[in-house]
Amino acid sequence: MASTPQPWMARVTSSCSSDTNPTFLITFPDAKYLFNCPENTTRNVLQRGFGLNKYRAIFLSRITTRTSLGLPGFLMTLADSGTKTLKVHGPPGLSHFLASSRHFLNRETLRLEASETDVEDLDPVFKDENLTVYAIPIPLEGEQSDLKEQTPSPERSPSLKRSRSMSPEGAPLAKRLSRDGDTAQGSSSSKMKWTNPVAWRKLIVDRMFPGESGTKFHAQNSGPSAWELKQRLPRWSHRHFATSYFVVGPEYRGKFNATLAESLGVPRGPLRAKLARGESITLPDGKVITPEMIIGESSSAAALLVIDCPSVGAISSLLASPTLSKLVSRERQLLHCVFHMAPDNVMRDPSYIKWMKSLGKDTHHIVANDSVCSDGITFSSSAAMQEKLSELDEELFRIPHFNDSSQEGYLQDLGMGDRVLAAKQQVIGMRPLVPPCDSYTEGTNIDPQDSLLPQSSIQSVFSGVKEKILSELPSPIPSRGDDVSISLLGTGSAVPGKYRNVSGALVQIPGFGNILLDCGEGTYGQLRRHFGPQIDTVLREIKLVFLSHIHADHHLGISQLLVERCKLFPPPEYPITLIGPFYSRLYLSEYADIESLGIKTINGVHFLSAEDLEHRRPLKHDTTDIILTYNSVKLRLGLADLRTAAVDHRTTAFGIVLRHVDGWSITYSGDTRPCQNLVDAGMDSTLLIHEATMSDEQEVMAKDKGHSTIGQAVDIACRMKAKKLLLTHFSTRYPKIPVLGRTFTGQGEEAVTLPEIFVGFDHLHIRLGDFSRAERYIPNLENAFSEIKEDIEPKGDSLV
């Protein structure tokens, strides 16, 4: 029992929108506790200024893209921001999910304790001086059965073809961890991997996050080698659970009544201190004084409940839970708020409504689902800047789609008045108890005050510019490929920021289909914001995805995109071909054990090896299926040639060259230092999309980190004889616009050889035929941004 009361609160940090899913944050003066960590959690925390310190624990309700995909990126950001210890709790699948990320998620400075629960228990899964947290795991009977598909490994090596482990992964976790006396520390690696896969995954996670005293992932002569740890995980085949959490805050002792102590003859000093600690004392005259005689009544502990009930079929199991029943009926606690992550049909179910009402008239309810939550703008800083840029050219700079309507009106029909609210980023006071209140007015959320560009600058620098430039341009000579468009979905590097998301670019070829070049975290949300009601059509038309390398900022969003593609009805007519290096394909193959990605279904995901398509190698395919996949994707997209180019980064990485039958071509660099192999592969490209992470003054840093400067990217374009250059992947040091310098001024001896050049912004939509116009905007953009002070954002350089 705490003696000094501390204020604490809960808040809705994100709700259901195009680019976020529900998260809830509990904050004390000295600690934070996060519930669920979906995609874009890191970016949302930065946008809303919640800070990256004091996090003690993260609780996941399910292991799905909608609830936990943001965890790897958030863990990396917390570790790089100084977090040393952290606990993560979730249902079965958490360790498999974490272990599948071992190729890009190692953080040696962080000590991570991951735990899973699949049985009901009144013992807490987490307890410290602030909170006691109980888990209520509910099996999802008959649901997500397709999640147990037997996904083939992306390679044919014997190490990835071993049969499924015979260990009973359906058994309770405690039994699986102790089976045959095996522990992560005590068994040989060859035995443990196949006889106790749970212990094997735990060993991997411990090595990924060893902290100061643990065994590092690449440690020599200390158990399994890094090579062994990187091999295909034992396949995961457990039941699926939705876990709800009952959270109890501290109970505080009553106030010490000094006047009453004086009247009872208790002297100042050690005797009063004992009473304050809850101990009885005996006075010199033999009189016994108990704490209850001096100290006022203790305050009841405030509690809240986080419910994840994903379907009507889960209601009966949830409401029949003996753990839930006992927890909500305990004395000396006040259930102040319930967060409901439940779809519309659950919230309308009579038995669920009856249960909600049984929790009492003083309990508040916050509901998060796609029906009741409006789709307002989440990342208002980026949207506000985009709105200003659209005044320069509304065709190039698209304002993100939003919709502030919702169907939350039916919540009032539940008969509980204003105690039931749709999730809108409310703050709920837990000590002192305060009803939910909105932290801001929701609507379009594009606040002029959020814009970097003052209206005075816009009017003086952008007014009439487009019209003037169009009048000065010579009549264009139509070229094949002019209508091919590039939509930039993320133009930042390493970590998502307020103004730039991480890497992603969509190429749309009219009449043929779409190509996605890299897919960093949040890419699907960016697609939804960019295309609005057309998102399903755009997603259906993606026929090729290229993942350049295993770093998280280039591929972590692909599982979300593939999950959403699986939901399309009718299903896509053609498969989606995914080209990437080995470890990217292995990660997806392992994650698909938990959640279906459509791998190897008829019109699902078909893998091609980036290594096998390297342009210096003869095309050799081992199986008819691979030959068919390669030729089919070329035919569907009208490509005359499709090859990769090994580039110079800090890990195995590739660029890609797309040459169309109509004569145009696009080369994409991915992450790389200046690389002659890319020049050779992409010679005479119509467009080069090249990373420009650092400014020209930071050439040494760029080389150390495996990147290029702006000037080096221009030089590569010139050597490649590319006709157009689009710069992207800018460091967080330049969250708004990179330092362009003399590269773009047209000065110097090499000016006449420069291609048409433009600089990327998130949601830029540019056709190959637009570069002549766009390039002439650069002086105006430089002027508009010249007086803007840079925000301090997390550097995250260790992620790139």
Side-chain angles (χ1 to χ4, degrees), residues 229-254:
L229 297 176
K230 288 182 177 181
Q231 302 310 298
R232 214 281 186 201
L233 293 173
R235 283 176 169 80
W236 188 85
S237 57
H238 199 280
R239 301 166 73 188
H240 289 81
F241 286 78
T243 301
S244 299
Y245 292 97
F246 192 84
V247 184
V248 183
E251 183 178 341
Y252 296 105
R253 293 193 186 97

Side-chain angles (χ1 to χ4, degrees), residues 427-448:
V427 176
I428 303 96
M430 301 299 294
R431 183 179 177 87
L433 294 177
V434 179
C437 58
D438 291 353
S439 59
Y440 74 99
T441 301
E442 190 157 1
T444 67
N445 295 344
I446 302 181
D447 186 347

